[in-house]
């Protein structure tokens, strides 16, 4: 368990996928990690998200209007105060070993003084490697948050 981690799930019109992510997270962490779901309204809204599927602290926030993918992520980051933030796509299924991979990466990053971890899944290879950045300048992040992004 890492109490310094929050998982952000930005979403637009995919409540079923969000529900599946909540089930996966719940089975891995048992509600020990805070989760925030940031909803861009469309055919579905925050009222379509069943937050009871996650046992732990959960916040479901909805934008007044659809502000696009990046706006939704930025809005979702607002108010998160944990050291680590995992931006998890609503349609990114978790690998069975996701919890151990995230915890190991956080531990390694803390030892190495890294500030950003990117789990790169763009090429869908079986030997996904995490990229650990030593400073936010190299990733062009203008935030005090530390980010874990992409599915593991």
């Amino acid at each position: 368990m890492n109490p310094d981690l929050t998982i952000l799930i930005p979403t637009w019109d995919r409540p079923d996928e969000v529900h599946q992510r909540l089930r996966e997270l719940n089975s891995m962490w048992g509600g020990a990690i805070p989760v925030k779901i940031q909803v861009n309204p469309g055919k579905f809204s925050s009222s379509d998200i069943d937050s009871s599927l996650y046992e732990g602290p959960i916040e479901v926030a909805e934008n007044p209007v659809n502000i696009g993918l990046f706006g939704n992520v930025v809005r979702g980051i607002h108010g998160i105060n944990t050291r680590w933030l995992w931006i998890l796509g609503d349609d990114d299924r978790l690998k069975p070993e996701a919890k151990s991979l995230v915890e190991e990466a956080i531990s390694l990053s803390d030892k190495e003084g890294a500030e950003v971890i990117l789990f790169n899944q763009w090429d869908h290879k079986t030997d996904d490697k995490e990229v650990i950045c030593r400073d936010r300048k190299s990733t062009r992040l203008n935030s005090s948050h530390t980010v874990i992004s992409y599915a593991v």
Side-chain angles (χ1 to χ4, degrees), residues 22-86:
L22 292 175
R23 287 183 196 99
E24 291 167 348
L25 292 168
N26 203 54
S27 70
M28 290 180 190
W29 270 280
I33 302 295
V35 171
K36 181 176 182 181
I37 301 166
Q38 188 67 41
V39 178
N40 247 342
K43 292 187 319 188
F44 298 96
S45 68
S46 59
S47 64
D48 295 298
I49 303 297
D50 183 0
S51 60
S52 70
L53 294 171
Y54 188 68
E55 295 173 7
I58 185 168
E59 175 187 355
V60 180
E62 183 173 348
N63 304 316
V65 296
N66 188 320
I67 58 175
L69 170 65
F70 296 111
N72 197 37
V73 170
V74 170
R75 180 73 53 91
I77 291 172
H78 182 74
I80 292 176
N81 296 313
T82 53
R83 175 157 186 255
W84 293 97
L85 168 63
W86 179 7

Side-chain angles (χ1 to χ4, degrees), residues 14-143:
R14 292 196 271 217
D16 292 337
E17 286 84 348
V18 170
H19 293 156
Q20 186 57 36
R21 297 304 73 77
L22 292 175
R23 287 183 196 99
E24 291 167 348
L25 292 168
N26 203 54
S27 70
M28 290 180 190
W29 270 280
I33 302 295
V35 171
K36 181 176 182 181
I37 301 166
Q38 188 67 41
V39 178
N40 247 342
K43 292 187 319 188
F44 298 96
S45 68
S46 59
S47 64
D48 295 298
I49 303 297
D50 183 0
S51 60
S52 70
L53 294 171
Y54 188 68
E55 295 173 7
I58 185 168
E59 175 187 355
V60 180
E62 183 173 348
N63 304 316
V65 296
N66 188 320
I67 58 175
L69 170 65
F70 296 111
N72 197 37
V73 170
V74 170
R75 180 73 53 91
I77 291 172
H78 182 74
I80 292 176
N81 296 313
T82 53
R83 175 157 186 255
W84 293 97
L85 168 63
W86 179 7
I87 301 172
L88 175 62
D90 58 6
D91 61 344
D92 290 338
R93 287 183 295 232
L94 299 181
K95 296 177 183 178
E97 65 275 14
K99 180 182 182 212
S100 62
L101 288 171
V102 168
E103 290 176 342
E104 181 182 346
I106 287 174
S107 177
L108 177 62
S109 297
D110 285 342
K111 289 177 191 169
E112 297 293 323
E115 296 181 341
V116 177
I117 307 167
L118 300 175
F119 290 93
N120 189 343
Q121 190 171 302
W122 293 309
D123 58 7
H124 299 285
K125 291 181 183 176
T126 57
D127 60 341
D128 291 339
K129 302 267 191 253
E130 55 267 9
V131 177
I132 300 179
C133 303
R134 300 272 183 250
D135 61 71
R136 289 182 182 90
K137 292 177 188 140
S138 63
T139 58
R140 300 188 189 273
L141 291 179
N142 296 315
S143 169

